[in-house]
Amino acid sequence: MSALPPFASVADVEVRLGRTVTDGERAALEDASDLIRAETGRDWVDPDNPAQLVGDPAQLDTLRTVCASAAARLIRNPAGVAQETVGPFSVSHGTSAVPGAWLTRWERLRLRRAAGLIGVTVLSTTRGPFETRPVDLPSSAHEVDRW
């Protein structure tokens, strides 16, 4: 059991599932939260009170939404089955299907933005004083001949 709080509540997951979450399924919240912490590289808790999540409201809403979605996905499909046929009993695991919690590409992008890992940067277009040298222009027509 993780000592850090989950980003979503059981009620958040129940809304996505449309049913009550069992006691055995509650671990999906911790799995999804651990996955989010690994993706963002942050624990999102107050150092003085590890039970308290920190971040601005938009960040915390993103963390809650992604956590609840990933946990619901894990509860619905814990084995990562991509295709299932009833007769004559076929099950298929896609190349990207892995058992356990996983994040979609869109969720990863949302988490990176919330964590400040994606943004606009400034790229200098000047070369600086060491790479440019002054140009000596001729002061008379006689000096032009030497060029």
Side-chain angles (χ1 to χ4, degrees):
M1 183 166 176
S2 177
L4 300 174
F7 294 115
S9 68
V10 172
D12 293 325
V13 178
E14 289 176 342
V15 166
R16 283 161 179 78
L17 290 174
R19 66 172 177 83
T20 304
V21 173
T22 66
D23 289 339
E25 294 171 333
R26 291 176 186 257
L29 276 171
E30 292 179 16
D31 293 347
S33 296
D34 290 344
L35 189 62
I36 289 169
R37 287 184 173 96
E39 182 69 27
T40 61
R42 294 177 54 183
D43 60 11
W44 300 92
V45 294
D46 183 353
D48 298 327
N49 182 9
Q52 178 66 40
L53 295 173
V54 294
D56 67 46
Q59 288 173 319
L60 294 177
D61 188 53
T62 297
L63 297 173
R64 181 187 57 78
T65 302
V66 172
C67 181
S69 296
R73 192 168 41 248
L74 176 58
I75 291 169
R76 279 190 200 111
N77 189 8
V81 175
Q83 181 181 357
E84 182 176 9
T85 308
V86 175
F89 311 109
S90 173
V91 173
S92 175
H93 296 272
T95 57
S96 63
V98 292
W102 71 93
L103 299 171
T104 66
R105 184 181 320 167
W106 177 244
E107 289 169 340
R108 289 178 189 274
L109 177 63
R110 290 185 67 199
L111 289 173
R112 289 183 190 129
R113 284 185 180 161
L117 300 175
I118 294 178
V120 177
T121 60
V122 176
L123 176 63
S124 176
T125 58
T126 61
R127 293 184 177 210
F130 299 110
E131 294 182 18
T132 52
R133 54 177 198 226
V135 176
D136 294 326
L137 297 176
S139 60
S140 68
H142 178 53
E143 292 182 25
V144 172
D145 293 333
R146 291 189 294 164
W147 285 59

